[in-house]
């Protein structure tokens, strides 16, 4: 027969307290009294709270099997899959099941006549914390342990520091190990021992970050800050050190993001500079060539996924580089041959024609593929990153874009300076009529140059895939910035395009956090207009012969 709640709870509480008194070695690794624990969980709120707190503190030294078992019981309790029957508790596979396993012995029994224990707010919070501790200590996967750590972070003041140190010493995942160490430092900041608190303050200041700054700033409200000169001095020094490091890290992050954005702008604008400088065509479809390169990359990924061995999938991004270049270049050559060659020396008509081509390409892709963002499988070499200083993290996807732009710059300069095609492009850019008189086939040069410039935009699409959303309208984001880069750098010069991309990209990233994205565009545009009033030819003017 089931006991009344009050009497049963009193008995359970006495049993649990007796088990703790009779087993003082529990925190030193003694086996958990499973029967007493489940009995206490079926008691009143006081019994439940005492039981769960005991397990939470014992988890720092208890055997792993006992910790895992306690975690299973607590999760069943939280999910209402624990039923109290007589003097034992039954674990159900699902809520409302007819049979359950005895939590202490594992015996299968019917649950008829049982009742589900009721948790108060305090008891539920304790149970969630103890369950998270069990997941952190015994979880089989990194995701499970990370979820347990997230639970503990919400109630760090109730978590024993020894539990966090035990988890950190056993953890194999580097990122989770760092998080555990930081959380253990946070727990030590609340220690009653002044020496440990001072040591924790020094330890936190040696790993500066925004989170560390917040944790240390919260200690200014501690009574010791006003009464203990040593504590106040150590905290003020640590805060100054961390704040300085965070400022430097934020500055590095801005520079890094600006460099990556400038790299994308350079690849988008380099082809536009060649086309505009050579043929005088304002190509409003240049952004759509970026989109073609990105969609070509997606096509290569899907081809690898269907045709290549699974181990080769990570190589799709590198294999997509020539495919994206050729796809964008092929479309560019076709547009030049079918439309633009009839519109040379008519800049307004060529501008309207390329705008129409832009709309055609966008809507054609929407009809053929859809307007949703494409999903890419990110290879390891463009996923994640490495913390460098404070909150500054070198992310591999942006580093890939920067390195890719550098290689693209070198190859572009080699082609323009060291190949017959580059010599012809430079000759036609300087004086088209004289180049034609010398036997250079200017029509062929125009077509190849347009294809080359379009292909460079396709390469920008490859670099964008690991960073930005890929959809039919993605090119519109870069076309205005690309034209600003071309005009500021000087029409037809690759070096000027590079310098202008660095300037505009850096300015956008610097101004955007202060005034917003729209204001950043307006401010940069106003600055370019003022500069061109004094120097209309841009930063670097191409020499032309007339």
């Amino acid at each position: 027969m089931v006991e009344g709640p009050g009497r049963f709870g009193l008995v359970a509480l006495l049993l649990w307290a007796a088990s703790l008194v009779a087993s003082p070695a529990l925190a030193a690794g003694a086996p958990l009294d499973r029967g007493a624990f489940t009995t206490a969980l079926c008691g009143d709120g006081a019994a439940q709270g005492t039981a769960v707190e005991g397990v939470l503190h014992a988890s720092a030294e208890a055997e792993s099997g006992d910790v895992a078992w306690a975690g299973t019981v607590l999760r069943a309790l939280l999910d209402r899959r624990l039923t109290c029957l007589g003097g034992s508790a039954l674990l159900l596979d699902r809520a409302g099941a007819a049979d359950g396993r005895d939590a202490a012995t594992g015996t299968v029994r019917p649950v008829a006549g049982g009742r589900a224990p009721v948790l108060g707010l305090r008891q539920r919070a304790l149970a969630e914390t103890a369950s998270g501790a069990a997941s952190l200590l015994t979880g089989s996967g990194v995701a499970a342990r990370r979820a347990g750590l997230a639970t503990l972070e919400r109630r760090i003041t109730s978590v024993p520091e020894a539990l966090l140190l035990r988890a950190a010493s056993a953890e194999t995942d580097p990122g989770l190990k760092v998080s555990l160490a930081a959380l253990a430092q946070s727990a030590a900041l609340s220690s009653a021992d002044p020496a440990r608190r001072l040591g924790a303050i020094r330890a936190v200041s040696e790993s500066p970050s925004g989170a560390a700054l917040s944790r240390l700033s919260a200690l200014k409200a501690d009574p010791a800050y006003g009464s203990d000169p040593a504590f106040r001095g150590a905290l003020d020094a640590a805060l100054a050190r961390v704040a300085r490091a965070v400022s430097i890290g934020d500055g590095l992050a801005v520079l890094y993001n600006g460099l990556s954005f400038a790299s994308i702008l350079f690849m988008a604008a380099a082809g536009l500079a060649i086309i505009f400088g050579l043929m005088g065509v304002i190509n409003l479809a240049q952004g759509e060539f970026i989109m073609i390169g990105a969609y070509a990359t997606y096509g290569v990924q899907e081809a690898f996924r269907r045709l290549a061995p699974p181990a080769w999938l990570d190589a799709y991004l590198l294999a997509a580089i020539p495919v994206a270049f050729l796809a964008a270049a092929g479309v560019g050559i076709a547009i030049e041959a079918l439309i633009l060659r009839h519109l040379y020396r008519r800049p307004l008509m060529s501008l309207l024609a390329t705008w129409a081509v832009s709309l055609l390409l966008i809507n054609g892709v929407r009809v053929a593929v859809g307007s949703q963002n494409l999903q890419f499988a990110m290879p390891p070499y463009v996923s994640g990153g490495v913390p460098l200083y404070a909150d500054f993290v070198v992310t591999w996807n942006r580093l890939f874009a920067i390195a890719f732009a550098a290689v693209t710059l070198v190859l572009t300069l080699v082609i323009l300076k060291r190949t017959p095609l580059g010599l012809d492009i430079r000759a036609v850019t300087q004086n088209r009529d004289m180049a034609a008189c010398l036997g250079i086939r200017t029509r062929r040069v125009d077509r190849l140059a347009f294809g080359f410039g379009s292909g460079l935009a396709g390469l920008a699409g490859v670099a964008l895939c690991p960073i930005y959303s890929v959809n039919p309208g993605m090119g519109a984001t870069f076309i205005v910035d690309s034209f600003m880069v071309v005009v500021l750098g000087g029409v037809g010069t690759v070096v000027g395009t590079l310098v202008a991309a660095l300037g505009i990209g850096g300015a956008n990233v610097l101004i955007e956090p202060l005034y917003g994205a729209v204001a950043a565009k307006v401010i940069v545009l106003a600055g370019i207009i003022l500069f061109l009033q004094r120097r209309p030819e841009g930063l670097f003017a191409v020499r032309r012969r007339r």
Side-chain angles (χ1 to χ4, degrees):
M1 186 176 73
V2 180
E3 300 285 342
R7 183 181 175 190
F8 186 89
L10 179 59
V11 172
L13 176 59
L14 292 173
L15 285 171
W16 177 249
S19 68
L20 291 179
V21 173
S23 304
L26 178 62
L32 176 67
D33 189 338
R34 301 187 178 188
F37 179 61
T38 54
T39 300
L41 291 183
C42 289
D44 60 9
Q48 291 171 343
T50 304
V52 176
E53 275 189 304
V55 165
L56 178 60
H57 287 273
S59 296
E61 298 291 342
E63 296 178 359
S64 296
D66 284 340
V67 175
W69 175 86
T72 301
V73 173
L74 290 170
R75 281 188 289 273
L77 175 66
L78 293 167
D79 297 340
R80 300 188 64 80
R81 293 185 294 103
L82 188 72
T83 297
C84 297
L85 184 62
S88 60
L90 303 180
L91 296 176
L92 311 183
D93 291 335
R94 66 183 186 283
D99 298 319
R101 292 179 293 104
D102 189 292
T105 65
T107 305
V108 178
R109 296 169 53 191
V111 300
R115 65 175 181 85
V118 179
L119 287 175
L121 292 178
R122 176 179 178 275
Q123 288 75 23
R124 175 170 289 276
L126 284 171
E128 289 175 350
T129 304
S131 174
S135 298
L136 177 63
L137 292 172
T138 62
S140 57
V142 175
R145 299 196 297 276
R146 195 176 296 279
L149 179 61
T151 302
L152 297 186
E153 285 179 332
R154 294 195 291 269
R155 302 182 180 92
I156 185 59
T157 55
S158 62
V159 179
E161 184 185 358
L163 187 152
L164 298 173
L165 294 176
R166 174 183 178 179
S169 64
E171 184 55 56
T172 56
D173 181 73
L176 194 53
K177 198 177 187 73
V178 171
S179 299
L180 278 166
L183 197 59
Q185 291 173 355
S186 297
L189 291 175
S190 303
S191 173
D193 184 358
R196 291 183 64 192
R197 297 187 74 185
L198 292 177
I201 289 173
R202 286 192 295 271
V204 170
S205 67
E206 290 172 358
S207 301
S209 66
L213 185 62
S214 299
R215 290 198 298 268
L216 292 175
S217 298
L219 293 179
K220 282 191 170 184
D222 193 285
Y225 185 74
S227 59
D228 187 351
F231 180 85
R232 182 171 59 252
L235 182 59
D236 288 343
L239 280 171
R241 178 180 180 183
V242 172
R244 183 170 57 253
V246 169
S247 299
I248 294 173
D250 291 345
L252 292 174
V254 169
L255 292 175
Y256 183 66
N257 292 336
L259 185 58
S260 66
F261 182 61
S263 301
I264 301 295
L265 273 185
F266 166 74
M267 286 189 288
L272 190 62
I274 294 172
I275 294 170
F276 195 16
L278 179 68
M279 295 175 283
V281 173
I282 302 174
N283 181 21
L284 292 182
Q286 189 75 1
E288 280 53 61
F289 293 129
I290 297 175
M291 181 263 293
I292 289 172
Y295 274 79
T297 304
Y298 181 76
V300 172
Q301 173 191 267
E302 295 305 300
F304 268 63
R305 189 167 279 169
R306 288 174 172 80
L307 303 176
W312 291 12
L313 180 60
D314 289 343
Y316 83 88
L317 196 61
L318 300 178
I321 293 174
V323 175
F325 179 86
L326 293 175
V331 174
I333 289 174
I335 291 172
E336 194 278 339
L338 297 175
I339 301 174
L340 291 179
R341 70 185 183 91
H342 304 290
L343 303 175
Y344 289 147
R345 304 181 189 278
R346 300 166 66 186
L348 180 60
M349 295 302 296
S350 64
L351 184 149
L352 293 175
T354 55
W355 180 52
V357 169
S358 168
L359 297 178
L360 177 66
L361 292 174
I362 291 173
N363 290 287
V365 171
R366 283 175 177 163
V367 171
V369 183
S371 58
Q372 70 280 0
N373 291 332
L374 299 184
Q375 300 297 320
F376 287 87
M378 291 297 106
Y381 49 86
V382 292
S383 300
V386 56
L388 195 62
Y389 187 76
D391 288 330
F392 174 46
V393 178
V394 176
T395 53
W396 301 133
N397 57 352
R398 292 186 179 275
L399 188 61
F400 172 79
I402 294 170
F404 190 27
V407 173
T408 302
L409 170 64
V410 172
L411 292 178
T412 301
L413 290 176
V414 168
I415 290 173
L416 292 178
K417 302 291 186 181
R418 295 288 185 266
T419 65
L421 174 62
L423 180 62
D424 291 346
I425 289 175
R426 287 186 288 127
V428 174
T429 300
Q430 289 185 13
N431 193 316
R432 176 179 292 271
D433 295 334
M434 183 60 69
C437 291
L438 294 175
I440 296 176
R441 299 166 59 187
T442 57
R443 285 287 306 110
R444 175 178 173 275
V445 172
D446 289 342
R447 186 166 302 171
L448 292 178
F450 198 94
F452 181 59
S454 303
L456 290 177
L459 293 182
V462 178
L464 280 171
C465 290
I467 302 176
Y468 294 95
S469 298
V470 174
N471 54 62
M474 62 180 295
T477 308
F478 297 93
I479 187 64
V480 175
D481 287 334
S482 298
F483 273 108
M484 288 195 297
V485 167
V486 171
V487 173
L488 179 63
V491 176
T493 167
V494 175
V495 175
T497 302
L498 173 64
V499 175
L502 291 172
I504 292 176
N508 269 290
V509 173
L510 284 171
I511 298 172
E512 187 171 325
L514 300 176
Y515 302 105
V518 176
K521 299 287 185 187
V522 173
I523 293 171
V524 171
L525 180 59
I528 293 174
I529 292 173
L530 292 176
F531 176 80
L532 293 178
Q533 294 294 316
R534 301 296 302 271
R535 191 177 174 86
E537 67 275 15
L539 293 171
F540 298 87
V542 176
R543 290 179 302 171
R544 296 178 181 271
R545 299 179 185 273
R546 293 290 183 261

